[in-house]
Amino acid sequence: PSEEALSTTTTSKSLTVWALTDWRHHSSAPYPFVVANLALLSAVANGLDYANVFVYQLSRLGDNGDVLVTISTSGNSENVVRALRWARKNGLTTIFLTGFDGGRTAEEADINVHVAADNYGVIEDAHQCLMQVLAQYIRLHSMPREKIAETLF
């Protein structure tokens, strides 16, 4: 796998860990993370092809009105581009985190959060920070107001 693929998977898994260890206490909303299950990712990639690993999972988990958040340093990862196109066709809102020049996904996503840098490490660190901000927003948005004041974050 490329450096981008490995670090993007790690960043995505961090959001999954935050979700599964914290949000479950504060929200009843489901938060499936299609990159988190590496055995499933590998099985789909081997059984179909790597370019469709996310589309396959989205076709089984995604519903009109859901939100798809992706991370692609280049914005050109074929599997992410295909996921974006599937999501848009099926009524999902798309939020993409990109770097470098934004790639193919930058203009097609509903929301593109672009890190204007030409260094993988800088972009990936910024994406990690942005994922923490997103996790905090979802956590607070999902909690009853009276629980926020009594909860340690």
Side-chain angles (χ1 to χ4, degrees), residues 63-101:
D63 288 318
N64 187 331
D66 285 350
V67 177
L68 173 65
V69 178
T70 70
I71 305 165
S72 174
T73 305
S74 70
N76 287 317
S77 300
E78 185 62 30
N79 51 14
V80 175
V81 171
R82 290 185 187 193
L84 165 67
R85 292 181 178 155
W86 185 93
R88 301 234 9 187
K89 180 179 171 186
N90 289 278
L92 282 71
T93 299
T94 57
I95 302 172
F96 280 57
L97 281 65
T98 61
F100 294 104
D101 67 2

Side-chain angles (χ1 to χ4, degrees), residues 13-60:
K13 288 182 78 174
S14 293
L15 184 61
T16 303
V17 169
W18 297 324
L20 297 177
T21 60
D22 190 44
W23 294 340
R24 66 186 168 92
H25 297 295
H26 308 297
S27 172
S28 60
Y31 297 96
F33 295 89
V34 297
V35 77
N37 186 329
L38 292 180
L40 177 60
L41 191 71
S42 177
V44 173
N46 290 332
L48 299 173
D49 69 291
Y50 194 70
N52 288 307
V53 292
F54 301 132
V55 168
Y56 178 83
Q57 294 175 75
L58 286 170
S59 70
R60 279 136 186 87

